Amino acid sequence: MSRDSNASLPVPTLQPPAAAGASGTFRTGAELHPRLRAQLDSLGLARAANPSAALSALLPLISTQYEQIDEERRGVVRSMQMLAAEARSFAQGLTNADAGQLRAILDHIKDVVITVTGDGAICVFNPTGEQLFGYSQAELIGVSILRLLPDLAVQGSLARGLQAFSVETDAHGRNSEPRTTQGRRKNGTLFPVEVVASPASFDRREVFVICLRDMSERLATEQALRDSEARYRTLVESAPEVIVVIDTHSGACTDANESALRFFDVPRERIGTLSLRDLLATAAASVAPPEEDPQAPRVFEWDYHRGAGVTLATEVRLMPLTGSAGLVRASITDITERKRTLAIMAGERDVFARIAADAPLSEVLAATVTLAESINPDFIVCIGRIGPEGKNFVEVIGPRLPAALRAADENGLIDVRNGSSAAAVYLGRAVLVGNVRTDPYWQRRRGLALEAGFSAAWGVPIKAAGGKVLGALTVYRAAPGKPADRDLMLIMHAARLAAVAIERCDAAEALRTSEARFRGLYESVLEGVYQFSPAGKVLAVNPAFVKLLGFGSAEEIYALPGAAALYWDPAARAVFVQELERAGEVHTAETLLRRRDGAQIVVLESARVVRNELQQVVAYEGTIADITERK
């Protein structure tokens, strides 16, 4: 602004000062400016006797004051011009050819880029920001950044906040990590953002370039991952199966769930001392997964030796941990009970198969011994079968029983002092000796048992369905003590199987004896005996029947088309059958039969109807006696 431009400014008009009274001095009241009053006092005009002379001296002073005011106004105008020039230069710096290239980059970058002045006014706002915040660029240019980032200020200072979010470089030249705060959309909703600010200079003007990224999806993903990890951890910790993580290089356990801590009996703080090299060695010797699926788990059985002679059978599923080199995850399931149950079931099937096949009794009892020993590998089992008189064991089955003990049982009497087997038979109840060394039931056989290394002997009587004692099943064990409840139940179950086998064998023997006795009667009786089917087919005849009708063998009679061929009048046979079915039985009816040579004979025939459980006729049985000579 030039000096001439002052013409447009209002200029005050000077008026002659009013007389101050008779003395002719100026008034120095409150209406005079303090600075002017001080100048008048310094010139002595306030006490001048001649007012005209005082006014002449005052005019230069006023003129000087005008000059100072004009100079101050020109300084203000020059400052405003410089600010405008800087603003134009800054705007031009963003709109020249290089700025066009920068604009293309900002339009396609995936992060929000905002440029603000030192006082927080927004200068640049890229399209990504428009999509994220919901504002257009025109709505935000010149607006404070606090509209988008309400928590940016630090202690009420926006400048401090921008400095706090600025990128810093550490001693190694690495940039500091971005900071998180809240962004606010046009609709007022808040969302988490990651912010970093960098100071920059454009045409000597300090600005901040703010890069911003929406963290909502990432935080949601991280939270979901944490929730998933928490759920997985909960599932792993509460899983009944044993889960461990093993370092394949050292064989040490690096992590385990609660089930694993109980299984291996180790506190969590000492889990690193648990070595599972034996498990890894078993895995290396097992069948590898198919080549087409290298990530498939390796499944194998592993015997864990817990100590004190206790071995647990387990099934292991081993697979590498993704993203963790050298670490594998092992899922271990105790299958001791399962294998025990399978062994018992297999033993039962074997026993029943032998019974059904009418195998020899000793063979069936040996299979029962094997079944009882499958309960626990430390058990040595024998089965003693008593004789008809019940005074001694006629047979002792037990392949693993020492010969001296077997011989003592087979040759000795059933006595309450002759060990658990004899005592169980004598008393008719289970005799569970936990310490052979001191128990009175072993008074006479104590030396034999101790010499064989047995400390416990549990005898269970084998009883028939009617309660009759058939023998005893005895379990010997090196360790002292009474059997566990589940072991005792299975031992008694094996004794019942032995009872079934012995009863079946005795019944079969009795049947064979009875059959032999009745077959002798059947073969030697003088009367002819027959059995016909309802259709008239000859099913069975005795030798007397064959001889009476003049045939050479029973097979010749069986080859006939039917029983009617043996009767002189087949119609009479039909009448006889009708009467038989009506009455159920017929006694001493005179019947005419035809011999093989065609001769007629007269017989007395007695017969009865044989029916099944459904009252259906299955056969006709009868006898014939020749009375031809008597007639």
Side-chain angles (χ1 to χ4, degrees):
M1 185 180 293
S2 63
R3 178 185 288 273
D4 295 338
S5 63
N6 287 336
S8 62
L9 298 175
V11 179
T13 304
L14 295 176
Q15 300 293 336
S23 62
T25 60
F26 288 102
R27 291 185 299 172
T28 59
E31 68 274 12
L32 295 180
H33 194 278
R35 184 175 178 184
L36 179 59
R37 189 167 60 248
Q39 288 177 333
L40 293 176
D41 289 341
S42 65
L43 295 175
L45 295 179
R47 296 179 299 275
N50 187 357
S52 300
L55 182 60
S56 300
L58 182 60
L59 290 175
L61 180 63
I62 294 174
S63 178
T64 301
Q65 187 67 24
Y66 272 109
E67 290 292 342
Q68 292 178 354
I69 292 173
D70 285 344
E71 187 62 28
E72 290 177 0
R73 288 178 176 174
R74 284 193 293 272
V76 171
V77 171
R78 283 196 298 272
S79 297
M80 292 176 66
Q81 288 175 334
M82 292 178 64
L83 287 174
E86 290 181 0
R88 286 193 300 272
S89 176
F90 177 69
Q92 183 179 1
L94 294 179
T95 56
N96 59 16
D98 293 337
Q101 186 176 4
L102 177 62
R103 172 58 63 183
I105 295 174
L106 293 179
D107 288 347
H108 293 85
I109 199 169
K110 298 303 181 184
D111 290 340
V112 178
V113 178
I114 307 172
T115 302
V116 299
T117 61
D119 57 358
I122 298 175
C123 302
V124 174
F125 187 64
N126 71 336
T128 305
E130 294 179 337
Q131 298 173 6
L132 181 61
F133 287 94
Y135 289 101
S136 66
Q137 187 176 24
E139 291 178 284
L140 292 179
I141 298 301
V143 177
S144 174
I145 188 64
L146 292 178
R147 179 175 294 184
L148 303 180
L149 304 175
D151 299 333
L152 186 60
V154 175
Q155 296 179 350
S157 172
L158 185 58
R160 286 194 190 128
L162 290 170
Q163 289 294 337
F165 279 82
S166 297
V167 176
E168 297 179 357
T169 304
D170 60 15
H172 301 285
R174 294 174 298 195
N175 292 336
S176 61
E177 293 294 327
R179 301 195 180 186
T180 58
T181 184
Q182 290 191 109
R184 181 166 57 198
R185 294 188 174 90
K186 186 176 181 179
N187 60 10
T189 58
L190 299 174
F191 62 100
V193 293
E194 189 177 62
V195 179
V196 63
S198 300
S201 178
F202 291 98
D203 292 335
R204 301 187 306 279
R205 186 172 183 82
E206 294 297 326
V207 297
F208 286 89
V209 178
I210 298 175
C211 292
L212 179 148
R213 181 174 296 175
D214 184 7
M215 295 179 63
S216 302
E217 184 175 349
R218 192 179 82 185
L219 290 180
T221 302
E222 291 176 354
Q223 184 61 41
L225 185 61
R226 284 192 294 270
D227 293 343
S228 176
E229 193 276 337
R231 288 193 299 270
Y232 176 74
R233 172 61 63 178
T234 301
L235 289 174
V236 169
E237 289 298 332
S238 60
E241 60 183 320
V242 175
I243 299 176
V244 293
V245 178
I246 309 171
D247 185 344
T248 56
H249 301 298
S250 65
C253 179
T254 62
D255 197 5
N257 66 346
E258 291 299 323
S259 297
L261 299 180
R262 291 191 297 269
F263 182 80
F264 292 108
D265 192 22
V266 60
R268 183 168 294 280
E269 58 271 15
R270 297 189 66 249
I271 194 65
T273 63
L274 178 62
S275 176
L276 297 174
R277 288 186 178 275
D278 183 40
L279 185 149
L280 296 177
T282 305
S286 64
V287 178
E291 295 182 0
E292 59 270 15
D293 189 8
Q295 294 300 319
R298 186 188 294 260
V299 182
F300 56 94
E301 290 188 6
W302 173 57
D303 290 334
Y304 170 55
H305 304 287
R306 176 168 283 179
V310 178
T311 299
L312 300 179
T314 68
E315 183 180 80
V316 182
R317 297 176 65 86
L318 193 70
M319 61 186 304
L321 278 181
T322 305
S324 301
L327 295 181
V328 293
R329 176 186 182 275
S331 175
I332 305 172
T333 303
D334 186 354
I335 60 172
T336 305
E337 284 300 318
R338 187 174 78 191
K339 295 196 72 173
R340 169 191 169 110
T341 302
L342 291 175
I344 292 171
M345 291 175 62
E348 285 183 339
R349 287 194 299 270
D350 184 41
V351 171
F352 284 121
R354 294 176 189 274
I355 292 175
D358 286 329
L361 179 59
S362 58
E363 182 180 322
V364 177
L365 294 182
T368 307
V369 167
T370 302
L371 165 63
E373 289 180 340
S374 68
I375 299 172
N376 189 316
D378 296 332
F379 291 176
I380 293 179
V381 182
C382 72
I383 292 177
R385 185 167 61 90
I386 62 176
E389 298 179 358
K391 294 182 178 180
N392 64 306
F393 292 108
V394 296
E395 184 181 26
V396 176
I397 306 296
R400 298 174 60 197
L401 186 69
L405 270 177
R406 184 186 302 110
D409 281 344
E410 289 178 345
N411 298 323
L413 295 176
I414 301 299
D415 189 277
V416 75
R417 295 166 293 179
N418 283 346
S420 299
S421 299
V425 172
Y426 188 91
L427 299 174
R429 61 173 176 82
V431 175
L432 309 178
V433 176
N435 191 344
V436 171
R437 189 177 298 275
T438 59
D439 197 281
Y441 290 126
W442 281 88
Q443 181 179 346
R444 295 179 176 175
R445 304 278 176 85
R446 197 185 318 277
L448 289 174
L450 296 178
E451 184 179 350
F454 297 140
S455 297
W458 312 322
V460 177
I462 299 173
K463 292 184 177 182
K468 179 182 176 182
V469 177
L470 304 175
L473 184 148
T474 307
V475 177
Y476 295 91
R477 196 177 70 164
K482 299 293 182 68
D485 290 342
R486 62 172 188 171
D487 290 342
L488 181 58
M489 290 178 62
L490 290 171
I491 291 171
M492 296 181 71
H493 177 62
R496 286 192 292 271
L497 289 178
V500 171
I502 295 174
E503 275 195 292
R504 183 182 177 88
C505 179
D506 290 346
E509 182 63 29
L511 180 62
R512 283 192 293 269
T513 302
S514 175
E515 182 184 10
R517 184 170 63 251
F518 282 102
R519 179 165 292 279
L521 292 174
Y522 179 76
E523 297 289 341
S524 61
V525 69
L526 296 177
E527 293 181 337
V529 180
Y530 69 82
Q531 188 180 61
F532 300 157
S533 72
K537 187 71 175 175
V538 180
L539 300 177
V541 292
N542 71 339
F545 189 96
V546 175
K547 183 178 180 181
L548 183 63
L549 292 177
F551 285 89
S553 66
E555 283 69 22
E556 292 181 7
I557 299 177
Y558 299 153
L560 295 175
L566 299 173
Y567 288 81
W568 191 264
D569 182 4
R573 171 62 185 173
V575 173
F576 180 82
V577 170
Q578 291 176 1
E579 177 64 18
L580 184 62
E581 291 183 353
R582 184 191 66 78
E585 59 185 12
V586 175
H587 296 283
T588 62
E590 284 192 13
T591 306
L592 299 177
L593 298 182
R594 186 188 304 275
R595 286 173 54 89
R596 184 185 183 194
D597 57 7
Q600 184 188 77
I601 61 173
V602 182
V603 298
L604 290 178
E605 183 176 4
S606 298
R608 71 182 185 92
V609 177
V610 181
R611 300 179 184 271
N612 61 14
E613 62 274 6
L614 299 178
Q615 296 303 307
Q616 296 171 335
V617 178
V618 295
Y620 305 118
E621 294 179 345
T623 62
I624 58 173
D626 187 5
I627 62 171
T628 305
E629 292 298 326
R630 189 174 71 185
K631 291 291 289 184

